[in-house]
Amino acid sequence: MAETLYVRQTMLAPEEAPASQVGLIRWLRENLFSTWLNAILTLVAAYIVYALLTHLWPWFAHAVWNASSLSECRQIITETWGEGATGACFAVIRERWQQFLFGFYPKPLYWRPTLAFFLMLLALAPVLYTAVPRKLLWFSIAFPGIAFWLLWGGSLMLPIAVYAGFGVGYLAYRLLAGRAVAPLVAVIAALIWWGYVAGPLSRGAGDLLFLTPVGSKSLGGFMLSLIIGVTGISFSLPLGVLLALGRRSDMMLVKALSVGFIEFIRGVPLITLLLVASFLLNIFMPPGTNFDIVLRVIIMVTLFASAYMAETIRGGLAALPRGQYEAADALGLDYWKAMRLIIMPQALKISIPGIVNNFIGLFKDTTLVAIIGLLDPIALTGAIRADQNWQGIIWELYGFVALMFFLCCFGMSKYSQYLERKLRTDHR
């Protein structure tokens, strides 16, 4: 008996997917209720969130933004919401936000740190984003001197004299190009210029574009945290690269100095270094030298961060396969070209999470300067609470400081994720 074969002549019309496999229901099943344990954890987390919201929402909903004291805030909350009602007194933020941003910087001169902040964003643009014209890098190099002049005032000749020291060092290096002592002579020439020529030259050149001087004791708030944090971040990365290369160097003296510096700095708390910067560093300077306290703190914070940065970058260098070094040798590249073109770009790419982690830690550590009398945002909260009108206020002040630091640190974290995606080469 012959078999009868059936061949479909038409296709079945597509049907809708089951409701449990699409949309919100599918997302809930896959992410929140995939197993019985996840379901229990989801319900517990939902209860905790509900409990927090029921307690925190009235505090925010009853917030007062216009008042001259904490007692007035409480009176307004009682009159509006009844006896026993609680609410945030954000009037203190509204009244003191300028102090949080600028510390005790003279109010008529607020335009100077504000201009320096926007110029900082312009200077960072070509460093952080390749789409920005490369010619702006020249402005990025000039920005530290401009920012110093704007913030501290005085004559513009002082930053110019400091930059001239780098030119003297470069000129000395070029004159001795090819000789082993060229880098050492260049460093010595720059130090001699800064130590004996830059100061008298800036004072003798007159008041070139003179701005009203502002002392470091007037700096405070988030402006001070940005000055210390951004400067420390900017200088700790190149110093960390040099220290990491020095620690892996075959030259015994260079390696010993690098290892000694890194291990010493990592073995000493940052608070100790800040106390040294505040009380002891001037002892080692020539008599009559007035070394600015903020500059001393920046130096110590930068040295501290560079030691940790060196170890992070050394980890990236160690993660590279030996074949990359052999490939650089096969191309006939010398040590510095191999590092600049082949080794270091890959090592820095590997080290991005650790580098940004160090940056975030450094920025948060700027609050430690409160122990040496500098008025960072945390220290300012104490100064504000000492005012009789705001005695007893706590959560609003510390919450505002926490929010500002979170925004800055979260921004750095998101940029690192963007950079990792941009440099990704596995196409996954």
Side-chain angles (χ1 to χ4, degrees), residues 362-405:
L362 169 61
F363 185 69
K364 292 188 295 184
D365 285 344
T366 58
T367 56
L368 294 176
V369 300
I371 65 170
I372 58 174
L374 294 180
L375 294 176
D376 73 302
I378 299 296
L380 277 176
T381 59
I384 294 172
R385 291 170 60 201
D387 187 341
Q388 184 176 1
N389 292 326
W390 302 110
Q391 284 182 356
I393 195 164
I394 298 176
W395 290 103
E396 294 85 345
L397 296 175
Y398 288 109
F400 177 72
V401 173
L403 176 63
M404 295 299 291
F405 272 98

Side-chain angles (χ1 to χ4, degrees), residues 187-251:
V187 172
I188 294 175
L191 291 177
I192 292 175
W193 175 273
W194 290 327
Y196 298 98
V197 180
L201 179 63
S202 62
R203 289 190 294 269
D207 297 338
L208 176 64
L209 295 177
F210 188 84
L211 293 177
T212 304
V214 177
S216 292
K217 290 297 183 180
S218 298
L219 303 180
F222 287 102
M223 177 179 63
L224 180 62
S225 294
L226 280 175
I227 291 172
I228 299 174
V230 172
T231 307
I233 287 171
S234 301
F235 287 100
S236 65
L237 181 57
L239 283 177
V241 170
L242 293 177
L243 288 170
L245 295 177
R247 184 157 190 166
R248 293 170 58 88
S249 174
D250 295 329
M251 293 184 286

Side-chain angles (χ1 to χ4, degrees), residues 131-340:
V132 179
R134 298 293 89 192
K135 291 182 178 180
L136 274 177
L137 284 172
W138 290 107
F139 176 75
S140 302
I141 296 173
F143 170 74
I146 298 173
F148 175 85
W149 173 61
L150 286 173
L151 293 173
W152 277 271
S155 173
L156 183 60
M157 194 61 203
L158 178 58
I160 293 176
V162 172
Y163 275 102
F166 292 101
V168 170
Y170 177 75
L171 181 61
Y173 178 81
R174 294 294 298 174
L175 291 174
L176 298 174
R179 301 185 184 182
V181 296
L184 180 60
V185 172
V187 172
I188 294 175
L191 291 177
I192 292 175
W193 175 273
W194 290 327
Y196 298 98
V197 180
L201 179 63
S202 62
R203 289 190 294 269
D207 297 338
L208 176 64
L209 295 177
F210 188 84
L211 293 177
T212 304
V214 177
S216 292
K217 290 297 183 180
S218 298
L219 303 180
F222 287 102
M223 177 179 63
L224 180 62
S225 294
L226 280 175
I227 291 172
I228 299 174
V230 172
T231 307
I233 287 171
S234 301
F235 287 100
S236 65
L237 181 57
L239 283 177
V241 170
L242 293 177
L243 288 170
L245 295 177
R247 184 157 190 166
R248 293 170 58 88
S249 174
D250 295 329
M251 293 184 286
M252 184 180 65
L253 180 60
V254 173
K255 183 174 183 178
L257 291 175
S258 299
V259 171
F261 175 83
I262 292 171
E263 296 303 331
F264 172 76
I265 294 295
R266 292 172 68 201
V268 178
L270 179 57
I271 292 178
T272 303
L273 295 177
L274 293 176
L275 292 174
V276 169
S278 178
F279 302 114
L280 299 179
L281 199 59
N282 262 354
I283 297 176
F284 301 98
M285 305 305 294
T289 302
N290 184 18
F291 204 6
D292 188 86
I293 179 62
V294 174
L295 182 57
R296 283 181 269 163
V297 168
I298 288 174
I299 291 174
M300 287 301 182
V301 169
T302 302
L303 294 178
F304 181 83
S306 63
Y308 285 88
M309 190 66 64
E311 290 300 281
T312 300
I313 295 171
R314 189 170 69 92
L317 291 170
L320 285 181
R322 184 63 191 171
Q324 295 297 316
Y325 296 87
E326 295 172 351
D329 294 337
L331 291 173
L333 300 177
D334 61 24
Y335 176 81
W336 292 110
K337 285 186 177 179
M339 287 294 165
R340 181 170 62 88

